[in-house]
Amino acid sequence: MIDQNCQYNQLPKELDSVFSELEMKKHLRHAGIKKSFGFSCSYLFQLVFCLIFQHKNWFSLLESKKADQFPAKDAVYRFLNQSTFNWRRFLLLLSTFTIRKVERLTDKSRPKVFIVDDSSFYRNRSKKVELLARCFDHASLKMRFYKGFRMLTLGWSDGYTFMPIDFSLLSSKKAQINGISEQIDKRTCGYKRRKNALQSEPEQIPSMLKRALASGINASYVLMDSWFTLPPLVKAIVEQGLDVIGMVKETKQRYNVDGKLVSLKQLYRLAQPLQSKKGILRSIRTVMANGTPVKVIFVQNRNKKSEWLALLSTDCTLSEQEIVRIYGMRWDIEVFFKTTKSLLKLEKEFQSRSYDGLISHTTIVFARFIVLSWQNRCNTDQRTIGGLFYELCDEVNELDWAVALQQLIELLQDALKQTNKRFKKLIQSQLEQWISGLPSYIKAYLPISLCES
């Protein structure tokens, strides 16, 4: 664990290098997360960051025998509950920096996307948490209410690596249990986030995308579920220069076909049936009621083959297969939600009553995911090895498998010449037996002498 007496050697060796590579301390300073005295913010951040890897929470750590090696409980809680720290800027700086490193490993022709979705943030046992509200869990099979927040999240993906960019813990004006604390300074970043928490999701998404684009993150599409694919929001996103691909469901929403406004079911009947395209039933180009041109495709529901699902794309040049393939990248954010809640202890590690504490800890959990995603990309993507990868690629291209097989046989023959007769005869018989069992098209590439023997 981190020792307070080792201010310059605070992290485990596995994380020390990645913290330096991602310039974590620099992002903390630029976000205004710093102190003039006492334990440094970078030290406290690393302390909380590493709790998950020790399988302990802050309470159990203070109850352990090593409690005297760490700061007092109040030092960490003051750090997490500080309303002047700009945690949103920190997350944006960290994700932008990491995404730029990931983009060097991604083909330029590969589509990059923003993904928008929300997830439940449970605080069912709480009573005095700031901005606590009763929220409806539309994703649950029980379709029930819970106490907590809705966690609206914006992420980036290239289809291989997912990075969280921004989030907001949304409360409710109508179903609010507790309001904003009167002690909060209205000039701070914490107060601004509290005001954002009272806005609706469609109001927040355009500003989230605007901040992401301004930071230099590149993406061509915004992927959304049917809860967000609403005409006003789609139009607002298109006006920012991004295309939308999302699922749509049967609502009061209407589509303009030859001057006539029709529902989604009527649009399905008017759509042209497609032949020899597995799973894709129909496709049609239309215009939304607010004047946004879209392409709507209807695909077969895998769970109920008698039903269909509708996907909408504002990029009408995409083929039906491309729309389905790109929309499939939306699943990355579902994996992200599952990972942060099940493995990275989102909602569970700190039970703070302050809204600032919820924001700061959620940001640290997102930072854990970013670090693990980057480490996973480095360990699984051979291109991170550097110039050696490209040199090996050139050599492999020049050496096809047939030449390699012949060279292997010749190498074995040279090795047999240096052995005694008995061992040579044994290896030769096994080699001939192996060759005799090979298919004829592979034998054609072997030396003639070997095939005849």
Side-chain angles (χ1 to χ4, degrees), residues 278-413:
K278 188 176 180 181
I280 303 176
L281 305 177
R282 304 188 179 203
S283 174
I284 187 172
R285 292 190 180 186
T286 182
V287 179
M288 302 180 80
N290 60 3
T292 306
V294 294
K295 183 176 184 179
V296 181
I297 65 171
F298 300 89
V299 298
Q300 191 175 45
N301 190 342
R302 291 183 178 179
N303 299 324
K304 295 182 180 180
K305 294 187 176 181
S306 60
E307 298 180 359
W308 47 262
L309 301 172
L311 295 178
L312 175 148
S313 172
T314 58
D315 186 358
C316 299
T317 62
L318 289 176
S319 65
E320 289 80 8
Q321 294 88 342
E322 274 292 292
I323 293 174
V324 173
R325 186 182 69 83
I326 294 175
Y327 183 76
M329 296 166 67
R330 200 198 69 83
W331 186 249
D332 290 350
I333 199 169
E334 302 292 351
V335 177
F336 165 75
F337 288 145
K338 181 66 175 178
T339 303
T340 53
K341 293 181 180 181
S342 300
L343 302 178
L344 302 182
K345 294 189 177 180
L346 182 68
E347 308 172 330
K348 305 171 185 176
E349 194 171 38
F350 282 88
Q351 297 294 318
S352 177
R353 294 179 180 179
S354 169
Y355 188 78
D356 294 305
L358 300 177
I359 292 293
S360 58
H361 182 255
T362 303
T363 305
I364 294 174
V365 172
F366 282 23
R368 288 172 181 167
F369 187 89
I370 291 174
V371 169
L372 293 175
S373 294
W374 173 243
Q375 286 289 84
N376 178 66
R377 186 65 180 256
C378 290
N379 293 332
T380 57
D381 196 327
Q382 292 178 327
R383 286 169 292 186
T384 57
I385 298 175
L388 178 61
F389 169 79
Y390 296 102
E391 293 177 6
L392 290 175
C393 287
D394 294 338
E395 187 173 344
V396 170
N397 289 334
E398 296 172 0
L399 183 69
D400 60 15
W401 70 272
V403 176
L405 187 58
Q406 291 183 9
Q407 290 184 357
L408 177 62
I409 299 297
E410 293 173 359
L411 183 63
L412 288 174
Q413 287 179 326

Side-chain angles (χ1 to χ4, degrees), residues 54-229:
Q54 301 298 324
H55 304 288
K56 292 182 179 180
N57 58 27
W58 183 232
F59 175 79
S60 62
L61 186 64
L62 292 178
E63 293 294 321
S64 66
K65 296 179 180 179
K66 298 182 179 180
D68 57 342
Q69 299 178 4
F70 306 107
K73 178 182 69 174
D74 292 344
V76 171
Y77 277 102
R78 280 196 300 268
F79 167 72
L80 294 176
N81 296 338
Q82 182 60 252
S83 61
T84 59
F85 294 163
N86 195 341
W87 288 104
R88 171 167 278 157
R89 179 168 173 77
F90 166 74
L91 181 60
L92 187 60
L93 289 172
L94 176 61
S95 59
T96 302
F97 185 83
T98 312
I99 287 170
R100 287 173 181 169
K101 297 176 77 68
V102 171
E103 283 183 325
R104 299 172 189 169
L105 310 174
T106 307
D107 192 344
K108 293 182 179 179
S109 62
R110 189 178 184 88
K112 290 89 174 176
V113 300
F114 289 124
I115 307 175
V116 178
D117 202 0
D118 66 345
S119 180
S120 56
F121 192 98
Y122 292 109
R123 291 299 298 265
N124 281 319
R125 299 179 63 184
S126 301
K127 294 182 179 179
K128 297 184 179 181
V129 174
E130 190 176 4
L131 286 174
L132 187 70
R134 291 182 70 251
C135 305
F136 182 68
D137 190 0
H138 58 78
S140 174
L141 296 176
K142 295 182 180 180
M143 303 294 283
R144 60 186 179 184
F145 284 89
Y146 65 92
K147 287 197 295 183
F149 305 87
R150 286 173 293 118
M151 186 174 67
L152 177 65
T153 306
L154 173 68
W156 176 93
S157 176
D158 62 352
Y160 190 84
T161 301
F162 177 85
M163 293 289 173
I165 298 173
D166 200 353
F167 74 93
S168 183
L169 295 179
L170 302 180
S171 181
S172 173
K173 292 181 179 180
K174 297 180 180 179
Q176 189 179 107
I177 299 175
N178 299 321
I180 299 177
S181 173
E182 296 179 357
Q183 299 176 355
I184 185 69
D185 189 340
K186 296 183 179 181
R187 298 169 297 178
T188 60
C189 299
Y191 180 77
K192 294 178 182 178
R193 296 206 73 158
R194 287 167 169 81
K195 296 299 289 184
N196 287 340
L198 299 177
Q199 293 179 336
S200 65
E201 292 176 337
E203 289 176 326
Q204 293 216 34
I205 291 173
S207 59
M208 283 184 170
L209 292 170
K210 185 177 180 180
R211 285 192 293 267
L213 293 172
S215 68
I217 301 177
N218 297 318
S220 302
Y221 304 98
V222 179
L223 308 185
M224 302 186 296
D225 200 0
S226 57
W227 298 100
F228 303 98
T229 314

